[in-house]
Amino acid sequence: MTKTLVLRPAHTSEIESLADVGLRAWQKGVGPLVPKNVYARICKDNPFLPFLKTMGETVLVADVNGKIAGFAACEDHNNHISDLWVDPEIEGRGIGSALIRKLEATIAAKGFSVSEIQVAAQNTRALGLYQHLGYQIVWQERRKDPILEIHLEKVGMKKKLSQAIEAMA
């Protein structure tokens, strides 16, 4: 069967499903980097639920054959990509790349010339994806994560969007 990827705005009715995908992706990518008490709190509280309720239809959803495959967002509605979460069961199939490219086009359409993203330095899979997509590391330091409430080694990355637009043409 041919898989059809559709990128679209989130629907209010799917917030719980999106939160589940986000949590499972977080458990795989970031969960191993945090202390057990933080891991347990995040799993119990699922901070994706209030985030998704607040963001609503501004969240970009990857839908594969009618099933949620992942989502991405620019929380502050600017050029900073705050979230990229792909269902761990189907990661590695271009879904994250497609979500990032779509957000880059949206960011460029708003008049920004650069896209920014941050990632935990030890989240090597995500870091590798961003580098593969043309993001360059511009800083690395320990920063307090406001949701996790702990300090993590973070990497800040940027990409000139003229590269993103040319690649899509």
PDB file of all heavy atoms in Angstrom, residues 77-79 104 106-115 161-162:
ATOM      1  N   HIS A  77       5.260  31.804  17.533  1.00  0.00           N
ATOM      2  CA  HIS A  77       4.811  32.281  16.222  1.00  0.00           C
ATOM      3  C   HIS A  77       5.859  33.175  15.556  1.00  0.00           C
ATOM      4  O   HIS A  77       5.527  34.158  14.907  1.00  0.00           O
ATOM      5  CB  HIS A  77       3.461  32.999  16.334  1.00  0.00           C
ATOM      6  CG  HIS A  77       2.443  32.186  17.053  1.00  0.00           C
ATOM      7  ND1 HIS A  77       1.888  31.045  16.516  1.00  0.00           N
ATOM      8  CD2 HIS A  77       1.898  32.315  18.291  1.00  0.00           C
ATOM      9  CE1 HIS A  77       1.037  30.526  17.379  1.00  0.00           C
ATOM     10  NE2 HIS A  77       1.020  31.269  18.460  1.00  0.00           N
ATOM     11  N   ASN A  78       7.124  32.802  15.724  1.00  0.00           N
ATOM     12  CA  ASN A  78       8.202  33.565  15.107  1.00  0.00           C
ATOM     13  C   ASN A  78       9.081  32.619  14.284  1.00  0.00           C
ATOM     14  O   ASN A  78       8.564  31.690  13.673  1.00  0.00           O
ATOM     15  CB  ASN A  78       9.002  34.317  16.182  1.00  0.00           C
ATOM     16  CG  ASN A  78       9.570  33.397  17.256  1.00  0.00           C
ATOM     17  OD1 ASN A  78       9.662  32.177  17.082  1.00  0.00           O
ATOM     18  ND2 ASN A  78       9.949  33.962  18.374  1.00  0.00           N
ATOM     19  N   ASN A  79      10.385  32.818  14.290  1.00  0.00           N
ATOM     20  CA  ASN A  79      11.273  31.975  13.493  1.00  0.00           C
ATOM     21  C   ASN A  79      11.932  30.865  14.289  1.00  0.00           C
ATOM     22  O   ASN A  79      12.820  30.173  13.787  1.00  0.00           O
ATOM     23  CB  ASN A  79      12.353  32.830  12.821  1.00  0.00           C
ATOM     24  CG  ASN A  79      13.320  33.431  13.819  1.00  0.00           C
ATOM     25  OD1 ASN A  79      12.960  33.747  14.952  1.00  0.00           O
ATOM     26  ND2 ASN A  79      14.557  33.617  13.397  1.00  0.00           N
ATOM     27  N   GLU A 104       9.764  25.802   7.851  1.00  0.00           N
ATOM     28  CA  GLU A 104      10.711  26.762   7.278  1.00  0.00           C
ATOM     29  C   GLU A 104      10.027  27.631   6.216  1.00  0.00           C
ATOM     30  O   GLU A 104      10.252  28.844   6.165  1.00  0.00           O
ATOM     31  CB  GLU A 104      11.899  26.028   6.658  1.00  0.00           C
ATOM     32  CG  GLU A 104      12.830  25.411   7.674  1.00  0.00           C
ATOM     33  CD  GLU A 104      13.883  24.506   7.060  1.00  0.00           C
ATOM     34  OE1 GLU A 104      13.801  24.152   5.858  1.00  0.00           O
ATOM     35  OE2 GLU A 104      14.813  24.141   7.810  1.00  0.00           O
ATOM     36  N   THR A 106       6.874  28.376   6.071  1.00  0.00           N
ATOM     37  CA  THR A 106       5.957  29.263   6.793  1.00  0.00           C
ATOM     38  C   THR A 106       6.731  30.419   7.436  1.00  0.00           C
ATOM     39  O   THR A 106       6.291  31.572   7.377  1.00  0.00           O
ATOM     40  CB  THR A 106       5.191  28.469   7.868  1.00  0.00           C
ATOM     41  OG1 THR A 106       4.464  27.421   7.234  1.00  0.00           O
ATOM     42  CG2 THR A 106       4.241  29.350   8.656  1.00  0.00           C
ATOM     43  N   ILE A 107       7.866  30.100   8.030  1.00  0.00           N
ATOM     44  CA  ILE A 107       8.701  31.126   8.658  1.00  0.00           C
ATOM     45  C   ILE A 107       9.187  32.121   7.608  1.00  0.00           C
ATOM     46  O   ILE A 107       9.140  33.334   7.815  1.00  0.00           O
ATOM     47  CB  ILE A 107       9.887  30.457   9.398  1.00  0.00           C
ATOM     48  CG1 ILE A 107       9.369  29.703  10.633  1.00  0.00           C
ATOM     49  CG2 ILE A 107      10.940  31.477   9.787  1.00  0.00           C
ATOM     50  CD1 ILE A 107      10.386  28.753  11.252  1.00  0.00           C
ATOM     51  N   ALA A 108       9.628  31.617   6.471  1.00  0.00           N
ATOM     52  CA  ALA A 108      10.097  32.493   5.381  1.00  0.00           C
ATOM     53  C   ALA A 108       8.957  33.373   4.868  1.00  0.00           C
ATOM     54  O   ALA A 108       9.158  34.560   4.589  1.00  0.00           O
ATOM     55  CB  ALA A 108      10.684  31.660   4.247  1.00  0.00           C
ATOM     56  N   ALA A 109       7.757  32.806   4.781  1.00  0.00           N
ATOM     57  CA  ALA A 109       6.602  33.576   4.302  1.00  0.00           C
ATOM     58  C   ALA A 109       6.247  34.712   5.263  1.00  0.00           C
ATOM     59  O   ALA A 109       5.648  35.709   4.859  1.00  0.00           O
ATOM     60  CB  ALA A 109       5.397  32.650   4.108  1.00  0.00           C
ATOM     61  N   LYS A 110       6.639  34.591   6.527  1.00  0.00           N
ATOM     62  CA  LYS A 110       6.406  35.651   7.510  1.00  0.00           C
ATOM     63  C   LYS A 110       7.482  36.737   7.424  1.00  0.00           C
ATOM     64  O   LYS A 110       7.439  37.702   8.176  1.00  0.00           O
ATOM     65  CB  LYS A 110       6.391  35.071   8.923  1.00  0.00           C
ATOM     66  CG  LYS A 110       5.197  34.198   9.220  1.00  0.00           C
ATOM     67  CD  LYS A 110       5.272  33.653  10.632  1.00  0.00           C
ATOM     68  CE  LYS A 110       4.098  32.771  10.953  1.00  0.00           C
ATOM     69  NZ  LYS A 110       4.185  32.218  12.324  1.00  0.00           N
ATOM     70  N   GLY A 111       8.475  36.528   6.550  1.00  0.00           N
ATOM     71  CA  GLY A 111       9.505  37.534   6.352  1.00  0.00           C
ATOM     72  C   GLY A 111      10.817  37.292   7.074  1.00  0.00           C
ATOM     73  O   GLY A 111      11.728  38.110   7.003  1.00  0.00           O
ATOM     74  N   PHE A 112      10.938  36.177   7.766  1.00  0.00           N
ATOM     75  CA  PHE A 112      12.190  35.870   8.455  1.00  0.00           C
ATOM     76  C   PHE A 112      13.187  35.257   7.470  1.00  0.00           C
ATOM     77  O   PHE A 112      12.806  34.468   6.606  1.00  0.00           O
ATOM     78  CB  PHE A 112      11.956  34.883   9.605  1.00  0.00           C
ATOM     79  CG  PHE A 112      11.143  35.444  10.741  1.00  0.00           C
ATOM     80  CD1 PHE A 112       9.793  35.157  10.861  1.00  0.00           C
ATOM     81  CD2 PHE A 112      11.735  36.257  11.700  1.00  0.00           C
ATOM     82  CE1 PHE A 112       9.034  35.661  11.905  1.00  0.00           C
ATOM     83  CE2 PHE A 112      10.986  36.775  12.749  1.00  0.00           C
ATOM     84  CZ  PHE A 112       9.632  36.469  12.854  1.00  0.00           C
ATOM     85  N   SER A 113      14.456  35.587   7.622  1.00  0.00           N
ATOM     86  CA  SER A 113      15.483  35.049   6.732  1.00  0.00           C
ATOM     87  C   SER A 113      16.254  33.890   7.359  1.00  0.00           C
ATOM     88  O   SER A 113      17.046  33.229   6.693  1.00  0.00           O
ATOM     89  CB  SER A 113      16.472  36.147   6.328  1.00  0.00           C
ATOM     90  OG  SER A 113      17.117  36.666   7.481  1.00  0.00           O
ATOM     91  N   VAL A 114      16.009  33.644   8.659  1.00  0.00           N
ATOM     92  CA  VAL A 114      16.711  32.595   9.386  1.00  0.00           C
ATOM     93  C   VAL A 114      15.709  31.812  10.222  1.00  0.00           C
ATOM     94  O   VAL A 114      14.779  32.378  10.790  1.00  0.00           O
ATOM     95  CB  VAL A 114      17.795  33.210  10.314  1.00  0.00           C
ATOM     96  CG1 VAL A 114      18.437  32.161  11.206  1.00  0.00           C
ATOM     97  CG2 VAL A 114      18.857  33.930   9.499  1.00  0.00           C
ATOM     98  N   SER A 115      15.920  30.513  10.290  1.00  0.00           N
ATOM     99  CA  SER A 115      15.140  29.640  11.166  1.00  0.00           C
ATOM    100  C   SER A 115      16.052  29.187  12.300  1.00  0.00           C
ATOM    101  O   SER A 115      17.242  28.946  12.080  1.00  0.00           O
ATOM    102  CB  SER A 115      14.644  28.422  10.372  1.00  0.00           C
ATOM    103  OG  SER A 115      13.970  27.533  11.220  1.00  0.00           O
ATOM    104  N   LEU A 161      17.263  30.744   5.566  1.00  0.00           N
ATOM    105  CA  LEU A 161      16.088  30.218   4.872  1.00  0.00           C
ATOM    106  C   LEU A 161      16.169  30.307   3.357  1.00  0.00           C
ATOM    107  O   LEU A 161      15.434  29.622   2.674  1.00  0.00           O
ATOM    108  CB  LEU A 161      14.818  30.868   5.396  1.00  0.00           C
ATOM    109  CG  LEU A 161      14.479  30.442   6.818  1.00  0.00           C
ATOM    110  CD1 LEU A 161      13.216  31.122   7.286  1.00  0.00           C
ATOM    111  CD2 LEU A 161      14.341  28.943   6.939  1.00  0.00           C
ATOM    112  N   SER A 162      17.053  31.092   2.843  1.00  0.00           N
ATOM    113  CA  SER A 162      17.214  31.081   1.384  1.00  0.00           C
ATOM    114  C   SER A 162      17.621  29.686   0.935  1.00  0.00           C
ATOM    115  O   SER A 162      17.207  29.213  -0.102  1.00  0.00           O
ATOM    116  CB  SER A 162      18.268  32.109   0.955  1.00  0.00           C
ATOM    117  OG  SER A 162      19.513  31.812   1.552  1.00  0.00           O
TER     118      SER A 162
END
